[in-house]
Amino acid sequence: MGSRGAFVDVNMNDFTFKAGGQLYQSIGLSGDVKVLVQTKGAVKAPEYSHTANRVYAIIQDGKLKHVAYYDANHKQSIGIDLQHDHKGVRPHRHEYLSHGKNDPGVPPTAAEMAVINHIKKEFGLQ
């Protein structure tokens, strides 16, 4: 899989990967969620998905780090961070890559937590 938002032009349906981006490796599926491991460097959820309406779970060092939901336009619509606090909330969610300092800490929904717990259990993650 390619890199974080590193497609040439998603809006023009050009999903060619730009050189030098973060790379991810798929290690399987958990239901409809594609589970990825970042192969090197900093770990962030991809900004875009090659597949519309996809959900990715991103693992780093044996821990579930992010769960990211994508919309019909291949753009990340919801990002859930599991390994750090935001305004005292962990895990917490962001919508459409909004990570402003003044954004409130919003916990995942019950449905999102069910997905998170299922992935952790299935893949033996913290």
Side-chain angles (χ1 to χ4, degrees):
M1 176 172 179
S3 57
R4 180 174 168 83
F7 297 116
V8 171
D9 191 342
V10 173
N11 295 323
M12 297 299 291
N13 290 322
D14 185 348
F15 290 99
T16 306
F17 296 117
K18 291 182 183 177
Q22 292 178 326
L23 298 176
Y24 303 87
Q25 178 182 0
S26 174
I27 62 168
L29 289 171
S30 179
D32 292 333
V33 179
K34 193 167 195 174
V35 181
L36 308 174
V37 174
Q38 213 274 348
T39 57
K40 64 179 180 177
V43 177
K44 295 182 179 180
E47 290 180 19
Y48 304 107
S49 170
H50 189 273
T51 306
N53 302 307
R54 170 65 83 191
V55 180
Y56 291 124
I58 297 91
I59 297 172
Q60 177 185 32
D61 298 329
K63 297 178 183 174
L64 184 57
K65 184 157 185 187
H66 303 286
V67 175
Y69 294 78
Y70 297 81
D71 64 18
N73 295 315
H74 306 268
K75 296 178 182 175
Q76 189 182 126
S77 58
I78 296 170
I80 300 171
D81 296 321
L82 291 107
Q83 298 300 319
H84 68 272
D85 293 351
H86 184 79
K87 300 282 188 177
V89 178
R90 183 194 297 187
H92 62 278
R93 69 195 307 268
H94 299 279
E95 293 188 16
Y96 288 97
L97 298 173
S98 174
H99 290 83
K101 282 194 236 181
N102 295 323
D103 290 350
V106 178
T109 66
E112 291 163 347
M113 282 306 301
V115 168
I116 289 165
N117 291 331
H118 179 79
I119 293 165
K120 284 181 171 182
K121 183 177 180 182
E122 186 172 346
F123 284 85
L125 304 170
Q126 299 177 9

